[in-house]
Amino acid sequence: MKSSSKPEQHRFILSSLLFIFFLCVLITINGIRYDSVLRFGRHPNPSLINTNGDIFCVSFTAPSLRRGAQVDVKFVFCNLTKEDQKVLVALEIMRYDDIIILDCKENMNKGKTYTYFSSLPEMLNDTDRPYPPYHYVMKTDDDTYFRLDNLVESLKPLPREDLYYGYVIPCRSMDPFVHYMSGMGYMISWDIVEWIRESPIPKNHLEGPEDKVFGDWIREGHRAKNRYNAKWSMYNFPEPPTQCTHELWPDTIAVHLLKNQVKWIQTLTYFNVTSNLKPSKLYHIP
Ligand SMILES: *[C@@H]1O[C@H](CO)[C@@H](O)[C@H](O)[C@H]1NC(C)=O
Ligand SMILES: *[C@@H]1O[C@H](CO)[C@@H](O)[C@H](O)[C@H]1NC(C)=O
Ligand SMILES: *[C@@H]1O[C@H](CO)[C@@H](O)[C@H](O)[C@H]1NC(C)=O
């Protein structure tokens, strides 16, 4: 009992303290490089994170291999400032190893996105790994539920270079070449990550709504000749209805604006996330 309840508890504490963070998803298509991971990669491994008693989100601990792709999900912070954060985040790393801490002061619309993308080439430059380490890098929010298998399937036919993928803003638009992709989750190919690191364009334009600012970089830099609009596989939770919402449906990659536990429960129930719970003499969930 003791050992199994501890991680849940610490994740509860961890996320209730640190609420300005986003998630990243790193993807390599074709598992060939990662054959050794195959045998671990069968099951999605969701872990529930409860925040403030009534909001929780789901992370999928890394590494995992999905239908031939390696997908790593990390929580991304700027510098930790409080003593309790240092202990709790260290515990999280020891248990799940799913944390990135950037050299910045915690913020949302003052350059964290730039720090994040521009730090990755060096952070992930490991002599033990091939370079580039991933084909695609995503930034998403902690109120977005991603179905990673469907995400991977949608990427397979797409170019591996000069790609900008996501949910086109404004909500009614279906043209990815006009504006930008919503911060609920946008993905770029690795060459654009390197461009962000090297180009003066992002460096000189850091402030503002991060998803819109990102779109400005792409436009100004004439990047992303390949774009993919994942609407309506990505959408806002159906309630309250707006032009950005869609009912939950099987063809889903991401559901956004899961702002409370009720919305998370409805979404996870709809997608049968817990229906394969392994039977055990230790519990019964009807
Ligand atoms: C973040 O922390 C590192 C290591 O403690 C420090 O060197 C750096 O100056 C800090 N950066 C910011 C922006 O506070
Ligand atoms: C990656 O590491 C190699 C060898 O240490 C180095 O030559 C290269 O510049 C590094 N690249 C990046 C993006 O840090
Ligand atoms: C969830 O499971 C039910 C019952 O097996 C099935 O009818 C439904 O299609 C599943 N939903 C999804 C989104 O896969």
Side-chain angles (χ1 to χ4, degrees):
M1 255 326 254
K2 255 187 186 162
S3 62
S4 65
S5 65
K6 267 184 184 163
E8 286 302 315
Q9 199 176 20
H10 102 71
R11 287 178 85 80
F12 170 84
I13 300 163
L14 171 67
S15 350
S16 59
L17 286 172
L18 302 163
F19 39 83
I20 313 172
F21 61 86
F22 54 66
L23 287 157
C24 83
V25 183
L26 306 150
I27 296 186
T28 306
I29 302 288
N30 289 338
I32 302 149
R33 291 171 180 176
Y34 299 99
D35 277 346
S36 59
V37 189
L38 255 168
R39 62 203 145 103
F40 303 114
R42 274 281 141 93
H43 313 282
N45 186 17
S47 45
L48 300 182
I49 306 172
N50 202 328
T51 54
N52 300 329
D54 68 347
I55 298 173
F56 73 115
C57 73
V58 177
S59 76
F60 291 86
T61 51
S64 78
L65 201 71
R66 289 159 186 281
R67 300 193 189 164
Q70 182 184 343
V71 182
D72 293 329
V73 179
K74 308 272 187 194
F75 292 86
V76 183
F77 300 93
C78 289
N79 274 4
L80 306 180
T81 51
K82 300 197 178 89
E83 288 309 309
D84 52 354
Q85 293 175 344
K86 292 175 192 168
V87 173
L88 295 167
V89 172
L91 284 174
E92 174 79 13
I93 292 168
M94 290 159 82
R95 178 70 178 81
Y96 296 99
D97 195 13
D98 60 355
I99 298 288
I100 291 177
I101 302 176
L102 304 168
D103 181 356
C104 52
K105 198 162 165 286
E106 195 57 74
N107 71 87
M108 189 155 85
N109 290 325
K110 291 190 172 171
K112 182 172 178 180
T113 297
Y114 171 73
T115 310
Y116 166 55
F117 285 112
S118 63
S119 301
L120 289 177
E122 207 185 312
M123 280 185 156
L124 301 173
N125 186 7
D126 189 338
T127 45
D128 296 342
R129 288 181 71 131
Y131 192 90
Y134 295 94
H135 291 119
Y136 303 112
V137 175
M138 174 170 254
K139 176 262 149 188
T140 177
D141 290 338
D142 63 346
D143 61 352
T144 305
Y145 171 61
F146 261 91
R147 301 178 78 216
L148 296 178
D149 286 335
N150 288 18
L151 175 65
V152 166
E153 283 306 309
S154 76
L155 287 170
K156 281 183 180 168
L158 300 182
R160 304 270 161 82
E161 294 193 335
D162 214 15
L163 178 73
Y164 183 28
Y165 171 115
Y167 173 100
V168 173
I169 293 289
C171 293
R172 269 188 298 187
S173 166
M174 293 303 272
D175 183 352
F177 289 90
V178 182
H179 292 285
Y180 60 95
M181 305 297 185
S182 158
M184 72 167 81
Y186 54 85
M187 176 174 288
I188 51 175
S189 52
W190 186 265
D191 55 318
I192 296 186
V193 176
E194 289 188 327
W195 174 78
I196 291 169
R197 177 185 171 80
E198 286 152 15
S199 166
I201 292 170
K203 204 171 291 166
N204 293 325
H205 179 12
L206 299 181
E207 299 209 4
E210 63 90 20
D211 47 2
K212 182 172 182 301
V213 166
F214 191 96
D216 293 343
W217 303 341
I218 294 291
R219 183 170 50 255
E220 226 184 295
H222 304 287
R223 297 289 125 172
K225 69 173 182 295
N226 302 308
R227 301 192 190 187
Y228 182 78
N229 176 21
K231 201 181 287 176
W232 290 98
S233 293
M234 295 172 71
Y235 49 88
N236 284 351
F237 188 81
E239 291 294 324
T242 67
Q243 285 171 345
C244 310
T245 57
H246 190 284
E247 75 270 20
L248 298 176
W249 64 318
D251 184 16
T252 293
I253 291 170
V255 185
H256 180 227
L257 289 188
L258 300 178
K259 294 285 190 198
N260 60 44
Q261 179 159 316
V262 173
K263 292 178 180 182
W264 273 102
I265 296 291
Q266 278 179 31
T267 304
L268 299 180
T269 303
Y270 178 83
F271 292 112
N272 297 324
V273 172
T274 57
S275 64
N276 286 328
L277 185 69
K278 79 175 159 64
S280 168
K281 284 191 277 188
L282 301 181
Y283 48 72
H284 53 280
I285 297 182

